[in-house]
Amino acid sequence: MKIILSARDINTALPKVAKGLQQYLALQRMAAHLPNFHVDPGFRRSYNHFYRVRRGVAWRQVYFQLMGRAHQQGLPFDTILNEIHKATGRLEASFASKMLATLRPTEPVIDSEVLRNLGVRLPYAGAQGRFGKICVLHKELGHAFGNFLKTQQGRYLVSEFTQMYPSANVTEEKMLDLVLWQTRQTSPGVSAQPTGTNTSAMPACIN
């Protein structure tokens, strides 16, 4: 998986980042400063709005309780994904990644717009070894983010983002995530599958 963004892509996306960036910063401030933030009604409302959580009350209760435990215990992505599945019967790849990225802002988010931009898809429902494939995708996405940020274009993105939003305290990974989310096109030359990994042979995540 390789991220391709031109200077033009970056320059076009950056002004569009402003609204989501402010919402993200407010959410992360609550997560950093509120005691037991995961049970705070204001945090939950902001989180549900920003990450478009459209699930029932019981599901959300399970989810935010797990967020508190993940925060206290430092749970990795595969454990979060598995715990949500055990409690709800659903493999919630996107919401598992959003939980982890809230707690560890250097982690990537599995978002439909970002994946569409990269020409990557989640494994279909019922796919053999789906849990493991989701874990591999999350790991490969993290590698792709790290590799891109080391490139000339990656450094350009960080420089331009910092210049446009000098007071925004966000990780470089989140800068890239926000730009990708606003780049609504499929970049040419992006592999549609994680590279170097036989995902069909991956029954579980390896951390």
Side-chain angles (χ1 to χ4, degrees):
M1 184 189 302
K2 185 177 181 181
I3 297 172
I4 301 174
L5 285 172
S6 68
R8 182 178 180 180
D9 293 330
I10 294 166
N11 293 339
T12 300
L14 277 174
K16 302 175 184 178
V17 163
K19 181 178 179 180
L21 175 61
Q22 292 307 310
Q23 293 172 335
Y24 172 77
L25 290 171
L27 182 67
Q28 291 300 117
R29 281 194 294 269
M30 285 188 279
H33 299 298
L34 287 175
N36 297 319
F37 65 92
H38 60 286
V39 301
D40 182 83
F43 173 82
R44 290 189 177 192
R45 282 193 301 271
S46 296
Y47 188 97
N48 293 339
H49 176 72
F50 183 71
Y51 285 121
R52 301 178 181 179
V53 179
R54 303 291 186 265
R55 297 288 188 271
V57 173
W59 186 98
R60 282 180 275 137
Q61 184 65 16
V62 167
Y63 184 82
F64 285 109
Q65 285 178 346
L66 177 59
M67 183 180 289
R69 186 155 68 88
H71 176 61
Q72 293 172 355
Q73 300 177 10
L75 300 181
F77 176 77
D78 60 338
T79 301
I80 293 171
L81 183 66
N82 187 52
E83 289 298 309
I84 296 174
H85 181 253
K86 286 196 302 183
T88 70
R90 301 171 64 106
L91 279 174
E92 300 277 13
S94 181
F95 288 128
S97 72
K98 289 167 181 175
M99 181 189 298
L100 182 60
T102 300
L103 305 176
R104 289 186 228 159
T106 58
E107 294 285 346
V109 171
I110 298 176
D111 178 87
S112 60
E113 293 293 346
V114 172
L115 295 186
R116 187 178 298 115
N117 180 273
L118 298 181
V120 179
R121 295 182 179 180
L122 282 167
Y124 62 87
Q128 184 177 6
R130 186 167 185 256
F131 177 87
K133 291 177 180 179
I134 290 171
C135 290
V136 169
L137 175 61
H138 183 261
K139 183 173 290 186
E140 291 285 338
L141 191 59
H143 290 325
F145 271 48
N147 290 337
F148 177 81
L149 288 168
K150 295 174 185 176
T151 67
Q152 181 179 353
Q153 290 302 96
R155 302 323 301 162
Y156 176 79
L157 184 152
V158 171
S159 174
E160 292 299 302
F161 193 107
T162 303
Q163 183 174 336
M164 185 168 289
Y165 305 106
S167 62
N169 182 22
V170 294
T171 64
E172 293 183 357
E173 290 82 1
K174 194 61 190 180
M175 294 179 189
L176 175 55
D177 176 71
L178 289 165
V179 167
L180 283 172
W181 196 83
Q182 292 293 349
T183 307
R184 307 301 173 86
Q185 63 183 30
T186 301
S187 299
V190 178
S191 171
Q193 292 291 335
T195 57
T197 308
N198 180 2
T199 56
S200 64
M202 296 290 294
C205 231
I206 299 175
N207 289 302

